Amino acid sequence: MTQLLLRSPNVTTSESGEALLDVRNLRTSFHTGEGVVYAVDNVSFKVRRGEAVALVGESGCGKSVTAMSIMRLVAPPGKITAGAINFKGRDLSKLSEREMRNVRGNDIAMVFQEPMTSLNPVFKIGTQVAEAIRIHRRASKKEAWRQAGEMLELVSIPDPIKRLDDYPHQLSGGMRQRVMIAMALSCDPELLIADEPTTALDVTIQAQIMELLASLQKKLGLAILLITHDLGVVAEFCERIIVMYTGRIVEEAPVLELFANPAHPYTRGLLKSLPSVTKAGGTRLPTIAGMVPPITALPKGCKFNPRCPDVMPICLGNEPALMVVGAEHTARCYLHGEEADPERLGQ
């Protein structure tokens, strides 16, 4: 159970900082037996230097495919078919694979949700961290091993020099995730993409990992794109929130604004379903009706309309555009357009 402690947004980075990552109209397509489907459809957002941004939504909403698209790691039959991924002024979607390999690790690093599937079980921890350093920094074996020890110390692994000789199975889940973070940061990237980094961990260890990421962000000046479904984690860690549904962005706002004034019915449903220490014992948590529709059979109009408690006739026609709700706050919902029913706006 996560207690919500909203962090004040960093005004310097979120309002006036330079965009480190600028994703524009990104579309990632998959060719299936039922035709072409879009796992990521016309997605645009920015991550500024030193900023923590969350990409949230239920499983199957396109969060991880968005992250893999940024890293250019989408496996066939998936393919980026439109848009631009500008990082420090370079469009990553236009780079050759060789150029992209230089970006991965050195400029953008990624941490995955299950470290046991990312670490090789037959090699020592030190060997794996040092190998990442040797590949990207061209250091000698001795120097890479020394730096590997420093990286384990950076991520607060106890007795880091001794742990270099351990194998992955000798470490707890939380320690393995710290090792993955150490590997990701070993080449001093400017952007860290963390894809559900705490999902496989218990609640206490989740908090420790998020505290570690927050301290590293501050110490190293990292920009972080956090992929998660846990809005409690987002509340404590991030400055802006991007909500995705069926491959589309349905709402974006600063964290304080979104928690105080959620504008999309889907976002309101996610927030209402959060556990809270203030709710009476035995009270059932509200749920969002239905399931995320399969990407091959999306409804016409607003993609959330079959599950939406505020659905209107217009929602069944054309899909709404992102509409301005407030300062730096947009929502893909007709409740905030000219066709909205005024009596529903406060719900």
Side-chain angles (χ1 to χ4, degrees), residues 56-59 61 63 228-232 241-245 250-251 258-259 262 264-275 279 285-288 292 304 307:
V56 304
E58 295 168 279
S59 296
C61 286
K63 308 183 303 295
T228 184
H229 62 272
D230 188 341
L231 282 167
I241 302 177
I242 299 166
V243 182
M244 288 191 71
Y245 188 75
V250 295
E251 186 164 3
L258 186 132
F259 275 81
H264 197 283
Y266 179 60
T267 307
R268 291 200 289 269
L270 291 176
L271 290 173
K272 287 178 181 177
S273 64
L274 278 175
K279 291 180 180 177
L285 286 173
T287 59
I288 301 175
V292 178
F304 188 61
R307 309 173 68 189

Side-chain angles (χ1 to χ4, degrees), residues 269-306:
L270 291 176
L271 290 173
K272 287 178 181 177
S273 64
L274 278 175
S276 172
V277 294
T278 62
K279 291 180 180 177
T283 303
R284 291 182 63 88
L285 286 173
T287 59
I288 301 175
M291 302 287 290
V292 178
I295 201 75
T296 54
L298 295 179
K300 187 179 179 182
C302 173
K303 307 311 174 191
F304 188 61
N305 72 62

Side-chain angles (χ1 to χ4, degrees), residues 36-341:
V36 178
V37 296
Y38 305 112
V40 177
D41 197 0
N42 200 32
V43 164
S44 299
F45 64 91
K46 296 180 181 180
V47 179
R48 301 177 178 95
R49 293 181 183 275
E51 182 183 32
V53 177
L55 204 55
V56 304
E58 295 168 279
S59 296
C61 286
K63 308 183 303 295
S64 293
V65 178
T66 299
M68 298 298 276
S69 298
I70 293 169
M71 296 294 287
R72 290 269 308 275
L73 291 174
V74 178
K79 185 180 181 181
I80 297 172
T81 52
I85 307 166
N86 294 312
F87 180 78
K88 295 170 63 175
R90 302 170 71 195
D91 186 354
L92 302 185
S93 66
K94 301 291 193 296
L95 298 185
S96 66
E97 179 56 30
R98 181 176 180 179
E99 291 173 315
M100 195 63 209
R101 281 197 298 267
N102 290 328
V103 172
R104 299 187 196 111
N106 287 324
D107 297 311
I108 307 175
M110 192 165 179
V111 176
F112 298 93
Q113 61 178 294
E114 179 42 73
M116 203 58 188
T117 62
S118 301
L119 292 169
N120 193 318
V122 302
F123 289 106
K124 294 179 179 180
I125 294 299
T127 300
Q128 298 187 59
V129 178
E131 182 68 11
I133 295 170
R134 289 186 64 203
I135 289 173
H136 292 283
R137 292 300 175 92
R138 299 186 179 182
S140 66
K141 286 185 178 182
K142 183 177 180 179
E143 176 61 18
W145 190 267
R146 183 189 67 78
Q147 290 184 28
E150 291 179 350
M151 293 308 302
L152 294 194
E153 183 177 8
L154 177 68
V155 297
S156 303
I157 290 181
D159 202 356
I161 302 303
K162 181 180 177 181
R163 291 297 186 182
L164 290 173
D165 288 314
D166 285 349
Y167 289 90
H169 74 272
Q170 295 176 276
L171 303 182
S172 67
M175 287 296 108
R176 288 195 294 265
Q177 193 60 284
R178 288 173 186 264
V179 170
M180 290 303 302
I181 294 170
M183 291 177 66
L185 299 181
S186 62
C187 297
D188 195 23
E190 294 182 69
L191 172 64
L192 177 67
I193 299 176
D195 188 2
E196 302 275 11
T198 62
T199 296
L201 307 176
D202 65 52
V203 175
T204 303
I205 304 303
Q206 284 182 20
Q208 292 177 6
I209 294 298
M210 295 312 301
E211 287 174 8
L212 171 65
L213 286 174
S215 67
L216 291 173
Q217 181 200 11
K218 184 176 181 180
K219 183 184 298 184
L220 304 176
L222 273 175
I224 297 179
L225 179 61
L226 176 67
I227 314 295
T228 184
H229 62 272
D230 188 341
L231 282 167
V233 168
V234 170
E236 298 180 27
F237 180 68
C238 294
E239 296 157 43
R240 283 192 300 118
I241 302 177
I242 299 166
V243 182
M244 288 191 71
Y245 188 75
T246 61
R248 297 152 174 79
I249 292 176
V250 295
E251 186 164 3
E252 179 177 355
V255 62
L256 294 177
E257 168 66 15
L258 186 132
F259 275 81
N261 301 299
H264 197 283
Y266 179 60
T267 307
R268 291 200 289 269
L270 291 176
L271 290 173
K272 287 178 181 177
S273 64
L274 278 175
S276 172
V277 294
T278 62
K279 291 180 180 177
T283 303
R284 291 182 63 88
L285 286 173
T287 59
I288 301 175
M291 302 287 290
V292 178
I295 201 75
T296 54
L298 295 179
K300 187 179 179 182
C302 173
K303 307 311 174 191
F304 188 61
N305 72 62
R307 309 173 68 189
C308 183
D310 298 318
V311 64
M312 301 178 289
I314 191 175
C315 305
L316 309 179
N318 295 321
E319 185 173 8
L322 280 169
M323 302 182 187
V324 175
V325 178
E328 297 189 57
H329 190 173
T330 57
R332 191 180 298 277
C333 182
Y334 283 119
L335 288 175
H336 304 281
E338 294 179 359
E339 303 293 334
D341 181 349

